[in-house]
Amino acid sequence: MYFLDQAHFELQLWNNYFHLTVAFLTHKTLQLESFSQEKRNKILNKYGDMRKTIGFKMRDMWYNLGPHKMKFIPAMVGPILQVTLVPQPELRKATIPIFFDMMQCEHNFSPGRTFETFENELITKLDQEVEGGQGDEQYKVLLEKTLLEHCRRHRYLSQSGEELALLLSSLLENLLAYRTITHDESPEHRMSCTVNVLNFYKEKKREDIYIRYLYKLRDLHLDCENYTEAAYTLILHAELLEWSDKPCAPHLIPRDGEHVWTQQELKERLFQEIICYLDKGKMWEKAIELGKQLAKMHEIHMFDFMELSQLLKKQAQFYENIMHAMRPQPEYFAVGYYGLGFPSFLRNKMFIYRGKEYEWLEDFSLKLLSQFPNAVRMTSTAPPGDNISNSPGQHIQCFTVKPVLTVPHQFKDKGVPEQILNYYRTNEVDQFQYSRPFRKGEKDPDNEFATMWIERTTYITAYRFPGILKWFEVKSVSVEEISPLENAIETMEMANEKLSNLVQQQACDRSLSINPLSMMLSGIVDPAVMGGFSNYEKAFFTDTYIQGHPEDHERIEVLKHLIALQTPLLADGIRIHGEKTTEQLKPLHNRLVTCFQDLREKVEKHYGVITLPCSLAEKKKTRVGSVVMPYILSSTLRRMSTVSTLSNASSGLSSGSASSDGPSCISSQDSLLSRPSDRRASILSRSEEDNRIARKNRKEWSVSKSQVLLERQSDTDETPPEKQQRPKSLQLGDRRLTLSLFQGVSSQLSLSNPLSPLPASPHTPHTPRSSSYSSLLSDNDANTIDTPGTPPPMPPKKHPHEIDNPRFSSEFTPPLPVKIESKPPPPPPKTRKSMFPSYEHTPQ
């Protein structure tokens, strides 16, 4: 017992002696202000010699401990580290080898033959000391060199020891950069260094230090109002927790935690905070995703229905925000830092930056250059040479890049509203493209499109946007050349997609300004504006090009198909333009109609007639009455369109029926017919149809129960509708209605086309019945106008596939009277709505 107590007493003396020695060696405060400079230098030199002597004595004491060294690990790792950080080269050289001896000692005595305890303690203490102001670049180099020399001579520590030496060197580099940039005015630089340290501790699975830097990064984002990035930073903390009642380890609880949390409680609290930040950043899709996870836990595991109701209310608000709230799309910028004058974490690297709301290239460039006043902005977007990369100066390259849309699998081949699709245009992306035009071969003075090539550079970032930073480093770059023909195909696809969806927006929301539609239509149909697609014909459709490029045969056919596909889209666009045209824009509209006539005749003659299905144009109405307008991608347009020759189209018009596949809704014939008066009548009919639909929807709510019962009884009657007698109450007004309808339509047709007279025969063999209201009146119907008291005949039965005016479809004939107890039905009220219900109920 005496020897055990004596050994313990001696070890305690050694421990106290070590700490006193360290305290003396690391003591910095010397009151030398009252001494002269010469006296001050002598004192400092004497003090340095004493430090060196005591440091050597401490080193000898450590080596004399022998088998007792393990009792001082890891307790003495921190104090000895403080001694090695003293800015005196000889003292550092004498004390750094103690670290290798500690590694060797733990490796020899530990069961696993590792030095994990020493490594974890050294990393923890090194982080604290460097953040406190200790260490420099010379120490990093000396530490790495000394440890490598000792480890490579050891039989068992050559590999693991070398890995630790390189790991400590990397950690010191990141910590020194972080400390240097801590007081920098640029928060972006501080965020970059923080993330570098984060990644290091994430790889080493040091969750305690990792979480500490996570919250430092969150605070930096909140100071800059980067709410989205702050949310994604906290998601990293939430991913370390489980949905369980296990108590949280102390290092998992944030520094501002007030009490002990279970993992489930802490994760729920983090989710609430994350959803709040996502809402501020207008990232409602991600907020809904996390809200669903939290709602599932409240519904299935926690059974907290009150909290569940609040979560579902938030989700409902987020869905509404997606469809109605204004959310500008951010711009993305590629930034390259070239030259040795930049910090190591930026030097000769390229990054993709996510701009803030309404932040354009010029504003972003000015902000970037203000951080580096001595930097020179490069005017070229090509990669720089070695003369710039190895120069001592600073060169910044900055230009806009376009994110590559990746449509989620649940949206493919479906009509998705543009508000939903817009989120994925600038979010959940990691690929960006930049296209630079250049010429290959001799320039054609008559047609520049023939030699216009595109150099397309694709950048792939290390992480997806958005994330824990507003910028990420580019990890791979690929370059491809796009031929002039492929460029023409892409241009036509983008133009068709933009035109199609702009037309749908204008049709869905009548309050939108017509100016964007006017500009787009003018640029396409008016040759004086952009030259039209004749440039493509001159470049790619000539016999010389086709014979010289047989491999482009399929691409040429695709381009022809895209040109023909534009015709029905233009037809609908001009129709809507005519409906919304003001007096000031009538000359422009007449010009557009005239140009489109010539354009359509030429396209249909050479490239056929394109027909699009109804599903691409119809506005889907929800139960609550809102209109959902799907966004149609160019790939969907091409896949759903069908092409026919001009002769087939003419025969289809004469028969008045659509193809066997079903009725066509978007075609050049249905939108703008060959006759000017019929075209304008069609425009008028579609405009009034929309108004009648709105009135019909309002009236459906006012139908009484007796009317509903009456209609149900008439539906079950065995007598065909066309054989039943029309009610007397309706016969009284038939003549007046027919006269007013015919006069109204005639006046509207003449107003819609003031330059052409009303056609003598409103129904021609080549005009479908739906072309105008006047086509509803046959020759026999016209004769009944002059016969007083004679009601017009019932509409004839139509074939299911026959195109007819939906306003006067036989499916919406007025309800016929049914005898109930031998009493005639009471006369309807003396109002126009009840007297003529067949003209008020209009199908969609």
Side-chain angles (χ1 to χ4, degrees):
M1 179 65 70
Y2 170 77
F3 292 104
L4 290 177
D5 292 342
Q6 182 69 19
H8 179 74
F9 178 73
E10 291 179 357
L11 289 177
Q12 188 64 36
L13 285 177
W14 279 104
N15 190 39
N16 294 338
Y17 180 77
F18 271 126
H19 282 86
L20 288 172
T21 305
V22 170
F24 174 78
L25 292 175
T26 58
H27 186 69
K28 304 176 185 177
T29 306
L30 292 175
Q31 303 294 332
L32 303 177
E33 290 79 4
S34 59
F35 298 93
S36 63
Q37 185 66 35
E38 182 180 357
K39 188 71 172 178
R40 192 180 307 171
N41 292 337
K42 289 182 179 180
I43 294 176
L44 289 175
N45 291 335
K46 190 69 173 180
Y47 184 69
D49 294 339
M50 292 174 62
R51 270 183 163 182
K52 185 167 58 174
T53 303
I54 295 176
F56 291 159
K57 292 291 183 181
M58 189 189 72
R59 179 196 61 181
D60 297 338
M61 289 170 57
W62 171 262
Y63 288 123
N64 291 331
L65 284 174
H68 301 289
K69 293 177 183 177
M70 276 300 298
K71 299 178 181 179
F72 293 90
I73 300 174
M76 288 302 298
V77 173
I80 292 179
L81 175 63
Q82 294 178 4
V83 175
T84 61
L85 288 170
V86 173
Q88 192 164 14
E90 285 135 6
L91 181 60
R92 287 178 173 180
K93 290 179 182 179
T95 53
I96 286 178
I98 297 178
F99 291 147
F100 172 76
D101 193 64
M102 288 182 170
M103 294 166 54
Q104 187 178 7
C105 182
E106 184 179 358
H107 178 270
N108 294 334
F109 289 97
S110 65
R113 311 289 288 179
T114 62
F115 44 84
E116 184 177 354
T117 303
F118 164 76
E119 179 182 345
N120 290 335
E121 185 70 13
L122 182 59
I123 289 175
T124 302
K125 298 301 182 181
L126 193 60
D127 181 88
Q128 296 175 2
E129 295 296 330
V130 176
E131 187 177 6
Q134 300 296 317
D136 48 35
E137 186 67 22
Q138 290 78 17
Y139 179 79
K140 178 184 81 72
V141 174
L142 183 61
L143 178 66
E144 178 182 357
K145 179 182 177 182
T146 305
L147 290 180
L148 285 177
E149 289 176 353
H150 286 76
C151 291
R152 286 170 178 172
R153 292 196 299 262
H154 196 276
R155 181 178 180 182
Y156 301 107
L157 296 179
S158 58
Q159 181 177 354
S160 57
E162 183 176 350
E163 291 177 357
L164 176 61
L166 298 176
L167 181 71
L168 293 174
S169 178
S170 175
L171 173 61
L172 270 172
E173 182 178 0
N174 291 325
L175 290 175
L176 290 173
Y178 173 78
R179 188 184 68 186
T180 304
I181 215 72
T182 300
H183 304 290
D184 194 284
E185 294 181 359
S186 172
E188 289 82 4
H189 295 168
R190 282 181 279 166
M191 293 176 190
S192 294
C193 295
T194 306
V195 170
N196 291 337
V197 178
L198 268 179
N199 292 333
F200 176 86
Y201 289 124
K202 185 177 182 179
E203 293 175 2
K204 296 305 299 179
K205 298 181 180 180
R206 293 299 306 271
E207 293 180 350
D208 50 344
I209 310 177
Y210 175 70
I211 292 176
R212 184 158 56 90
Y213 280 94
L214 272 180
Y215 280 86
K216 290 182 179 181
L217 181 61
R218 182 205 64 172
D219 295 341
L220 288 172
H221 282 309
L222 293 180
D223 292 341
C224 298
E225 297 184 353
N226 297 338
Y227 297 111
T228 299
E229 287 70 25
Y232 276 85
T233 302
L234 290 183
I235 288 176
L236 297 180
H237 186 192
E239 290 175 350
L240 300 175
L241 303 171
E242 301 176 356
W243 292 109
S244 67
D245 293 329
K246 297 179 182 178
C248 277
H251 69 270
L252 290 176
I253 301 176
R255 62 181 184 272
D256 53 353
E258 299 177 357
H259 61 278
V260 179
W261 303 81
T262 65
Q263 293 202 26
Q264 181 173 285
E265 291 173 345
L266 181 56
K267 192 163 186 173
E268 180 184 356
R269 177 196 173 195
L270 286 173
F271 267 48
Q272 296 284 6
E273 187 176 356
I274 291 168
I275 291 173
C276 178
Y277 291 150
L278 290 173
D279 184 19
K280 291 182 178 180
K282 300 181 180 180
M283 297 291 294
W284 299 302
E285 288 81 358
K286 189 67 176 180
I288 290 172
E289 177 186 335
L290 297 180
K292 287 180 178 179
Q293 295 183 35
L294 196 54
K296 182 179 179 181
M297 295 303 302
H298 283 295
E299 181 179 8
I300 300 177
H301 300 283
M302 304 179 190
F303 308 107
D304 189 349
F305 283 10
M306 291 301 297
E307 187 65 28
L308 176 62
S309 66
Q310 297 299 320
L311 280 172
L312 295 180
K313 289 177 182 178
K314 282 186 179 180
Q315 289 187 34
Q317 184 61 48
F318 293 158
Y319 280 116
E320 185 175 349
N321 292 343
I322 291 172
M323 298 303 296
H324 299 294
M326 180 177 292
R327 179 166 51 171
Q329 296 182 354
E331 293 283 336
Y332 284 91
F333 312 102
V335 180
Y337 300 92
Y338 302 105
L340 303 180
F342 287 108
S344 58
F345 59 89
L346 298 176
R347 188 181 304 142
N348 292 329
K349 294 180 181 179
M350 174 166 278
F351 299 83
I352 300 296
Y353 280 72
R354 175 185 172 98
K356 293 190 175 183
E357 290 185 358
Y358 305 108
E359 186 175 29
W360 311 119
L361 179 60
E362 289 303 320
D363 300 330
F364 178 79
S365 301
L366 291 175
K367 182 180 72 173
L368 198 65
L369 292 173
S370 65
Q371 300 173 8
F372 301 97
N374 299 326
V376 178
R377 181 177 178 181
M378 300 172 58
T379 57
S380 173
T381 58
D386 294 338
N387 58 333
I388 294 180
S389 300
N390 299 326
S391 65
Q394 296 178 342
H395 300 269
I396 292 181
Q397 189 180 62
C398 182
F399 51 91
T400 305
V401 291
K402 181 180 179 182
V404 179
L405 168 66
T406 302
V407 180
H409 62 89
Q410 67 267 24
F411 295 157
K412 290 183 178 179
D413 301 330
K414 297 179 182 178
V416 182
E418 185 177 10
Q419 297 94 321
I420 299 176
L421 201 60
N422 275 340
Y423 169 80
Y424 298 95
R425 296 186 188 278
T426 55
N427 298 286
E428 311 294 339
V429 291
D430 60 355
Q431 293 189 29
F432 305 85
Q433 290 182 346
Y434 175 76
S435 299
R436 183 177 65 88
F438 71 98
R439 299 197 178 278
K440 183 182 291 188
E442 297 182 1
K443 181 180 179 180
D444 188 352
D446 297 330
N447 193 344
E448 61 180 6
F449 292 94
T451 58
M452 181 65 71
W453 287 69
I454 298 295
E455 181 189 77
R456 178 163 297 158
T457 306
T458 302
Y459 305 94
I460 300 179
T461 54
Y463 305 96
R464 279 188 156 192
F465 286 95
I468 62 174
L469 286 175
K470 273 192 169 294
W471 61 92
F472 290 121
E473 185 178 354
V474 174
K475 287 302 182 182
S476 66
V477 181
S478 59
V479 181
E480 62 176 336
E481 292 184 352
I482 308 298
S483 68
L485 180 56
E486 292 173 333
N487 183 33
I489 292 174
E490 291 184 2
T491 304
M492 285 297 300
E493 284 183 335
M494 289 188 293
N496 288 352
E497 179 179 322
K498 186 177 180 180
L499 174 62
S500 170
N501 292 284
L502 180 60
V503 169
Q504 288 197 80
Q505 290 176 8
Q506 295 283 342
C508 180
D509 190 352
R510 297 288 173 167
S511 63
L512 292 176
S513 172
I514 198 177
N515 294 336
L517 182 61
S518 301
M519 294 174 61
M520 173 161 275
L521 293 176
S522 299
I524 296 176
V525 304
D526 194 347
V529 178
M530 296 294 291
F533 59 83
S534 59
N535 294 318
Y536 297 150
E537 293 178 328
K538 297 175 184 177
F540 311 115
F541 297 169
T542 61
D543 295 337
T544 304
Y545 184 88
I546 294 174
Q547 294 174 3
H549 302 80
E551 71 280 0
D552 288 343
H553 175 72
E554 293 184 1
R555 295 189 183 95
I556 292 175
E557 293 301 320
V558 170
L559 182 58
K560 291 181 179 179
H561 183 86
L562 292 172
I563 293 175
L565 176 60
Q566 202 173 63
T567 303
L569 302 176
L570 289 171
D572 268 7
I574 293 178
R575 172 180 60 82
I576 295 173
H577 190 272
E579 297 171 359
K580 302 177 68 174
T581 295
T582 60
E583 289 294 333
Q584 294 82 1
L585 292 178
K586 277 188 177 180
L588 172 62
H589 179 70
N590 294 334
R591 167 76 176 170
L592 293 177
V593 172
T594 304
C595 293
F596 178 71
Q597 293 178 21
D598 302 334
L599 179 69
R600 189 200 61 192
E601 292 175 1
K602 178 181 177 181
V603 170
E604 293 178 353
K605 179 180 179 181
H606 292 89
Y607 311 121
V609 178
I610 288 288
T611 303
L612 296 176
C614 298
S615 59
L616 294 181
E618 64 183 5
K619 293 179 282 189
K620 299 179 182 179
K621 214 161 193 179
T622 63
R623 294 178 61 185
V624 297
S626 61
V627 177
V628 177
M629 184 61 66
Y631 188 91
I632 304 174
L633 298 172
S634 59
S635 57
T636 306
L637 284 173
R638 285 178 55 186
R639 188 183 66 257
M640 300 296 291
S641 61
T642 57
V643 62
S644 60
T645 61
L646 187 60
S647 59
N648 294 337
S650 301
S651 62
L653 285 172
S654 61
S655 62
S657 61
S659 62
S660 58
D661 296 335
S664 303
C665 291
I666 308 178
S667 63
S668 57
Q669 290 87 357
D670 288 342
S671 298
L672 292 176
L673 301 173
S674 56
R675 300 184 59 152
S677 60
D678 293 338
R679 277 194 296 272
R680 286 154 177 78
S682 177
I683 293 173
L684 176 63
S685 64
R686 296 199 185 192
S687 176
E688 289 207 349
E689 281 177 21
D690 294 339
N691 298 331
R692 306 284 288 194
I693 290 171
R695 291 199 299 270
K696 166 186 172 291
N697 293 336
R698 291 195 300 268
K699 186 177 178 181
E700 285 177 350
W701 294 96
S702 61
V703 178
S704 64
K705 294 183 179 179
S706 61
Q707 288 174 309
V708 176
L709 292 174
L710 189 63
E711 289 178 359
R712 289 179 179 175
Q713 292 176 4
S714 64
D715 292 340
T716 59
D717 202 311
E718 296 180 358
T719 307
E722 59 269 19
K723 299 296 183 180
Q724 295 182 0
Q725 295 294 328
R726 294 170 62 83
K728 294 181 179 180
S729 60
L730 294 178
Q731 292 178 7
L732 297 176
D734 282 339
R735 179 176 176 272
R736 293 193 301 271
L737 176 65
T738 308
L739 282 173
S740 62
L741 175 64
F742 183 80
Q743 293 170 358
V745 171
S746 301
S747 61
Q748 289 174 351
L749 287 173
S750 61
L751 288 175
S752 63
N753 187 11
L755 302 179
S756 59
L758 186 69
S761 178
H763 188 76
T764 60
H766 294 281
T767 305
R769 288 195 182 98
S770 61
S771 61
S772 65
Y773 289 112
S774 59
S775 63
L776 295 168
L777 304 175
S778 62
D779 295 339
N780 295 332
D781 297 334
N783 294 333
T784 61
I785 296 174
D786 298 330
T787 305
T790 303
M794 293 290 292
K797 290 186 68 176
K798 304 294 187 297
H799 192 273
H801 297 290
E802 190 172 11
I803 301 176
D804 203 347
N805 194 318
R807 285 188 62 200
F808 299 92
S809 174
S810 59
E811 297 176 2
F812 284 84
T813 55
L816 298 176
V818 179
K819 291 184 178 181
I820 302 175
E821 297 181 0
S822 301
K823 293 182 181 181
K830 299 301 182 176
T831 62
R832 186 173 182 81
K833 284 189 177 181
S834 61
M835 189 175 295
F836 310 112
S838 63
Y839 302 107
E840 294 292 332
H841 291 278
T842 308
Q844 176 73 29

